[in-house]
Amino acid sequence: MTHTSASADALPLYSRQDWCWQWMRSYPVDSAPIESTETLLLRGPLDVGALRDALAEIETRHDALRLRLTALPGPDPSAVWPGQTLRPDPGRLTTVRVRPEELTAEAKRILGRPLDLTDRMVRATLLRAGEREHLLVVQLHHLIFDGSCHHLFRALLAEAYTRRVAPGRSATPGTRRTEPESYTGLIRREREPEARSRVRKRAAVLAAELRAHGTREPLPGDAAAVVADTRFASVSLDLTADRTRRLLRRSRAERVTPHTVLLAALARAVATEYGRDRLVCSVYTHGRTSPAAHETLGLFSNVVSVPLETAGGPLPEYVRSVHEGVRRASDTADLPFTEVASRILDRPSDDGAYCRSALAHLELRLTGVTGLLPVDQYRSTALAPEVEVIPQIITADHPVPVFNGLERALACAATLFTDMRLKGGALIGELWFERGYHDAERIARVAENYHDFVGLLSDDV
């Protein structure tokens, strides 16, 4: 067995990168790239030089965007973290001329070419279809960027560009702009011996609590039917706009977040069907608790585990207990996923990858950020007074991901996944399940339980 080693001066993982590294190791190296993308159609008299300088400014201020791996991850899922170093200079903006009808196809071609992580974790290409029509394609690896960073990146881009082409005029009036945290500084601080000792102690306490809540006892299913290329199906969890308004009123009345109410309904629905009085749920939290953290690209969401008591009782008490569970879990956003998983699964961190859902029975994603309802990621904005920004949904064609072994496939298959979002005033979403492992009729009953419980919550206001 070979391991990829890090150089002596390489930076270690940051706690937020840890679960993403485990995710990367869960798939072969030639799988679909784990990247976030910005594809922005720019209409108007674009100043390409100002755009190039604006992008360079963002990379200069946010050192997460200048990280690179010291070595490529190997094909062995037990390969250790290769380390990362900081490039002193920002990357370049590549400009390509295309015909207007070729914009989408060329963008797909670019997005289909994975990043060389030993070079940079970000790449920017400007497709020029005319004097007044451009498509900006920015690829950012998930190790340094996720959904909670998109709105900040766009605000920074608009601000830096407008400052260059229209001095004295702000593209984002009223937006706070403090100095961001140093990402590499955060990495170094949490690796200090005292900080590491505190992390190990807290991870041990959390691991014991998750074990007590059955994290090693997955929801029952047909493990023999799971294959490496897991196949998922879903059932609808859509709510009407009226029921959504009632549910939001309930969250305000109980002084909890809509995220809490949804998690309470989902956990009770699963617990009722499977006869569990305790569950472990995975949620995402960004931990942006200071003005500087709110301005930091790279400080992305971390996966945190929420141990819940799901037995019956008065609804207000149950919802409040879920709220407290999520609040306590949010305080663990700085714990590396591996620190907790290795204790629960009794396996050293270099003995194969941990699937991020391996510790949970249920995962809830509400725009990827705990407690926040979705913003419109595809709403047109202005880059400057005369340049309109129209976000595009463009994805490259990649093969269906195949897990790096049945163990990781099974760890994912046993978990139920929920993705919720707000659209047209209504909360909509799906409950996803692995078709071989889970019984579809049983999952349908979970969805029925969810709607019944949401009805109790939303009608009792």
Side-chain angles (χ1 to χ4, degrees):
M1 181 182 295
T2 58
H3 294 276
T4 307
S5 58
S7 60
D9 60 345
L11 289 164
L13 276 165
Y14 183 46
S15 56
R16 307 302 180 84
Q17 294 174 304
D18 182 86
W19 75 266
C20 192
W21 169 239
Q22 294 291 358
W23 186 12
M24 289 173 63
R25 292 168 67 204
S26 293
Y27 296 97
V29 291
D30 57 354
S31 289
I34 301 173
E35 296 176 3
S36 294
T37 60
E38 282 281 357
T39 47
L40 306 175
L41 183 62
L42 310 176
R43 283 188 172 150
L46 182 70
D47 185 326
V48 176
L51 179 67
R52 180 180 293 110
D53 290 346
L55 288 167
E57 177 185 313
I58 294 171
E59 281 195 51
T60 300
R61 289 186 65 207
H62 296 266
D63 48 6
L65 303 187
R66 288 183 284 116
L67 288 171
R68 69 179 186 92
L69 296 186
T70 57
L72 280 174
D76 187 341
S78 64
V80 298
W81 171 247
Q84 56 193 347
T85 57
L86 191 66
R87 283 196 172 276
D89 302 315
R92 65 190 184 94
L93 173 65
T94 301
T95 303
V96 178
R97 288 185 177 274
V98 297
R99 292 194 294 269
E101 63 272 18
E102 297 174 338
L103 273 176
T104 300
E106 182 63 17
K108 286 187 175 184
R109 188 192 67 79
I110 292 168
L111 294 174
R113 184 164 52 94
L115 293 164
D116 176 1
L117 302 185
T118 62
D119 178 29
R120 292 185 182 275
M121 296 196 200
V122 59
R123 179 167 65 211
T125 307
L126 183 68
L127 304 181
R128 189 167 190 172
E131 292 301 317
R132 300 180 64 86
E133 186 158 356
H134 300 76
L135 184 67
L136 178 63
V137 181
V138 185
Q139 295 163 266
L140 306 113
H141 198 272
H142 210 9
L143 280 168
I144 60 166
F145 201 92
D146 78 346
S148 62
C149 296
H150 283 282
H151 74 283
L152 176 57
F153 176 85
R154 292 178 192 175
L156 290 169
L157 183 63
E159 180 187 62
Y161 178 85
T162 301
R163 192 181 338 111
R164 286 167 169 80
V165 300
R169 178 166 181 170
S170 173
T172 52
T175 303
R176 184 186 65 251
R177 283 288 171 264
T178 60
E179 279 304 304
E181 289 266 16
S182 165
Y183 195 74
T184 54
L186 290 168
I187 293 173
R188 292 188 175 98
R189 284 202 298 275
E190 72 176 15
R191 300 298 293 194
E192 293 172 354
E194 228 177 89
R196 291 285 299 137
S197 177
R198 289 195 299 269
V199 163
R200 283 192 290 266
K201 290 177 182 176
R202 291 169 55 218
V205 170
L206 177 59
E209 186 178 8
L210 296 179
R211 278 193 178 210
H213 280 73
T215 189
R216 294 184 63 173
E217 302 159 14
L219 300 176
D222 186 358
V226 177
V227 293
D229 55 337
T230 49
R231 299 176 176 91
F232 284 82
S234 67
V235 294
S236 173
L237 298 178
D238 291 358
L239 302 180
T240 65
D242 178 64
R243 178 139 286 178
T244 297
R245 284 192 295 272
R246 290 171 175 269
L247 200 66
L248 295 179
R249 281 207 300 269
R250 181 63 186 241
S251 67
R252 289 193 294 270
E254 301 294 341
R255 296 186 177 182
V256 298
T257 65
H259 180 278
T260 289
V261 177
L262 287 171
L263 186 62
L266 287 162
R268 178 64 66 84
V270 173
T272 299
E273 174 59 32
Y274 287 91
R276 308 286 286 253
D277 57 5
R278 287 183 165 189
L279 287 178
V280 175
C281 302
S282 280
V283 299
Y284 293 75
T285 183
H286 52 55
R288 294 176 181 264
T289 56
S290 68
H294 275 279
E295 303 299 326
T296 305
L297 284 175
L299 189 62
F300 55 90
S301 299
N302 203 358
V303 179
V304 297
S305 300
V306 187
L308 294 179
E309 307 283 343
T310 54
L315 283 182
E317 290 182 15
Y318 170 62
V319 172
R320 176 57 55 180
S321 72
V322 173
H323 175 78
E324 288 302 315
V326 173
R327 186 191 61 77
R328 288 193 303 271
S330 296
D331 291 337
T332 67
D334 63 323
L335 291 181
F337 179 71
T338 303
E339 291 279 355
V340 180
S342 60
R343 287 167 171 79
I344 290 175
L345 302 178
D346 293 326
R347 199 177 71 206
S349 60
D350 62 352
D351 185 19
Y354 301 116
C355 180
R356 75 180 191 276
S357 58
L359 307 186
H361 307 103
L362 170 70
E363 179 173 302
L364 170 61
R365 299 194 61 156
L366 182 59
T367 72
V369 182
T370 298
L372 294 185
L373 289 174
V375 295
D376 187 353
Q377 292 278 8
Y378 300 102
R379 182 179 57 194
S380 297
T381 56
L383 188 62
E386 297 179 343
V387 179
E388 185 182 15
V389 180
I390 310 170
Q392 305 293 294
I393 305 175
I394 301 175
T395 56
D397 296 325
H398 293 292
V400 175
V402 176
F403 277 101
N404 218 334
L406 284 177
E407 180 187 353
R408 282 160 289 283
L410 183 59
C412 179
T415 305
L416 299 176
F417 299 88
T418 307
D419 183 21
M420 301 292 289
R421 54 208 175 274
L422 190 65
K423 183 177 181 180
L427 276 166
I428 62 172
E430 299 81 30
L431 176 64
W432 292 89
F433 63 97
E434 211 285 330
R435 291 182 294 178
Y437 184 89
H438 289 285
D439 177 67
E441 291 183 4
R442 197 165 198 181
I443 300 303
R445 291 196 296 270
V446 170
E448 290 174 8
N449 293 341
Y450 162 79
H451 285 289
D452 290 344
F453 193 67
V454 166
L456 292 174
L457 285 168
S458 58
D459 292 341
D460 187 21
V461 288

